[in-house]
Amino acid sequence: MESADIIIVGAGHGGAQAAIALRQQGFTGSIMMIGRDSEPPYERPPLSKEYLARDKPFERIYIRPPQFWEERDVTLRLGNIVTAVDPQAHTVKLSDGTEIRYGRLIWAAGGDPRRLSCSGADLNGIHAVRDRSDVDRMMAELDGGAKRVAVIGGGYIGLEAAAVLTKLGCKVTLLEALPRVLARVAGEDLSQFYQQLHAAHGVDLRTEAMVDKLEGENGWVRRVILADGSSVECDMVVVGIGIVPAVGPLIAAGAAGANGVDVDEHCRTSLEDIYAIGDCAAHANPFADGAVIRLESVQNANDMATTAARDIMGEPVPYNALPWFWSNQYDLKLQTAGLSLGHDATVLRGDPADRKFSVIYLKDGRVIALDCVNSTKDYVQGRKLVEARVSPDPAALADPEIALKELV
């Protein structure tokens, strides 16, 4: 039977960083990374941005050059998924039937796109944005003449895809079931700004738009039927309604977890010698007042990977990283620091009409998060407000003439 001292399941940001961190910290044992993609580890955020827009070729979004992994003696088993884990025997079973023994296992499998469950969801021309093959199929259909696109979901993936498709000359209709876009992650000021931004670029943005079914012709999607009976004619549908954590084999093996797989402050699961990191890892986050959450971000994947590597190397440091995110839409860059979950007040800093402003989120008077649009200085200085857990005067927070660093 094949074996590796450490098997990493998943070849995205978390899996790649776990291998990198182990080697940086002096691990000399064997490392095997198992990934479902046929490509070496690559960045995922550019898929819905620069890669879809064709502003950046695929070769430029590799996390490291392909030869890097061989140079670091990291074995890549690509085009495979782990279908079963035996924690007693310390083995994993792959989709090709191979069984491999591990010393330690790092689960970095991320998640699978949440699919539509309505009638017509199996038609051709319906896409997620999760890996290269998803976007390559979209690009092929665009090259084939697809011009009318329905985007289902007003989160960051949906908004980013809408922005790029509009830039490419498509007629885009964005459908969000909730009363506003970004409702789960941002306040009303930011939602209103992005709704107006997309409308100004020609996107037909509809909120409280519930999808009833999809209809097609000759096996290809051609319209989205909404619950109110209205319809959206389309050549393509892009679905961005979240992910389902890819943890089935771990849960089947007995790992604790409901929304993903539960991990402690060192990213250890309830199963001996098995860690979980990234999108699929549910953890008590200090920046969410200890609430158990999953974070779907590059930051979280990378920092958890380093945490797991340190624990494996016998130098444990609890996970305590400030969450941060970003989104590029049109010519605007949004940078977020902290978590706005549970906020009870917001402060608007600057004027959205100037296309440069920040929304600051407070809980019991304390700064817990910031959304900064084209305001890098606010983002950099505001991070320190969140980390310091300070409660500044709201009037001072709202005054763009007062540097945030003065309020720490």
Side-chain angles (χ1 to χ4, degrees):
M1 182 184 295
E2 283 187 79
S3 66
D5 294 315
I6 294 180
I7 288 181
I8 300 170
V9 180
H13 288 274
Q17 181 59 31
I20 292 168
L22 284 165
R23 289 298 188 226
Q24 287 177 336
Q25 294 174 34
F27 183 78
T28 58
S30 55
I31 300 175
M32 178 184 293
M33 191 186 307
I34 301 169
R36 73 176 72 187
D37 275 288
S38 58
E39 297 281 354
Y42 59 90
E43 300 177 46
R44 305 309 167 106
L47 291 176
S48 60
K49 306 179 185 76
E50 299 97 328
Y51 183 62
L52 176 58
R54 310 188 195 214
D55 291 335
K56 185 177 286 189
F58 186 77
E59 292 70 27
R60 288 183 56 203
I61 67 173
Y62 282 125
I63 292 174
R64 292 289 189 276
Q67 65 270 22
F68 172 91
W69 307 105
E70 183 177 354
E71 292 169 355
R72 299 307 188 281
D73 197 21
V74 176
T75 301
L76 300 182
R77 291 289 292 265
L78 302 175
N80 250 304
I81 61 173
V82 171
T83 58
V85 177
D86 186 333
Q88 283 73 43
H90 275 52
T91 61
V92 296
K93 186 174 183 179
L94 308 189
S95 49
D96 65 6
T98 305
E99 286 194 24
I100 307 173
R101 183 175 291 110
Y102 64 85
R104 305 277 186 98
L105 181 68
I106 300 177
W107 192 271
D112 299 308
R114 191 177 298 278
R115 307 289 180 178
L116 296 174
S117 57
C118 60
S119 172
D122 57 347
L123 288 165
N124 293 311
I126 300 174
H127 305 276
V129 185
R130 194 64 178 168
D131 58 35
R132 180 189 184 178
S133 62
D134 293 329
V135 180
D136 283 351
R137 284 191 293 270
M138 290 173 58
M139 293 162 73
E141 289 176 28
L142 292 170
D143 290 344
K147 283 294 183 183
R148 303 169 302 170
V149 183
V151 177
I152 300 175
Y156 286 120
I157 289 292
L159 292 175
E160 290 168 359
V164 171
L165 290 165
T166 298
K167 176 184 174 182
L168 294 176
C170 295
K171 181 181 185 301
V172 178
T173 303
L174 190 145
L175 306 170
E176 168 55 50
L178 295 176
R180 58 187 176 89
V181 301
L182 302 175
R184 295 182 178 87
V185 295
E188 292 187 14
D189 289 321
L190 198 75
S191 296
Q192 183 177 20
F193 174 79
Y194 274 102
Q195 287 173 193
Q196 293 172 348
L197 175 71
H198 281 270
H201 280 83
V203 175
D204 179 3
L205 195 155
R206 308 182 192 182
T207 56
E208 298 186 273
M210 303 290 294
V211 174
D212 180 49
K213 61 182 177 180
L214 291 88
E215 295 180 344
E217 297 171 8
N218 301 317
W220 287 84
V221 68
R222 286 295 174 260
R223 67 193 60 85
V224 181
I225 308 298
L226 302 179
D228 64 5
S230 62
S231 65
V232 176
E233 301 294 316
C234 60
D235 307 311
M236 176 192 296
V237 170
V238 179
V239 181
I241 54 175
I243 68 167
V244 179
V247 294
L250 282 188
I251 301 301
N259 177 22
V261 60
D262 294 343
V263 299
D264 66 11
E265 67 271 25
H266 300 290
C267 299
R268 296 177 295 215
T269 71
S270 60
L271 300 176
E272 185 179 5
D273 293 329
I274 298 181
Y275 298 76
I277 61 176
D279 293 4
C280 65
H283 61 285
N285 192 286
F287 292 94
D289 290 335
V292 175
I293 61 172
R294 289 188 305 104
L295 286 179
E296 298 169 13
S297 72
V298 172
Q299 166 273 317
N300 180 59
N302 286 344
D303 287 332
M304 279 192 152
T306 300
T307 298
R310 284 175 172 166
D311 194 71
I312 288 170
M313 295 301 293
E315 299 177 359
V317 177
Y319 179 76
N320 190 36
L322 174 69
W324 54 266
F325 315 84
W326 82 94
S327 177
N328 296 331
Q329 297 172 47
Y330 305 107
D331 58 341
L332 298 178
K333 185 177 186 67
L334 169 66
Q335 294 170 289
T336 297
L339 300 171
S340 61
L341 300 170
H343 73 273
D344 53 29
T346 61
V347 172
L348 181 61
R349 178 179 170 88
D351 186 352
D354 296 332
R355 296 163 59 84
K356 181 179 180 180
F357 68 98
S358 299
V359 180
I360 302 173
Y361 300 87
L362 307 175
K363 183 176 182 181
D364 298 328
R366 174 169 56 88
V367 176
I368 61 171
L370 301 90
D371 284 324
C372 306
V373 176
N374 279 4
S375 299
T376 299
K377 184 180 292 186
D378 278 1
Y379 169 72
V380 172
Q381 297 182 10
R383 289 170 59 100
K384 295 179 173 58
L385 295 180
V386 180
E387 291 173 328
R389 303 177 183 274
V390 296
S391 301
D393 175 12
L397 287 173
D399 187 350
E401 299 301 316
I402 300 176
L404 292 179
K405 64 183 179 182
E406 297 177 14
L407 305 177
V408 178

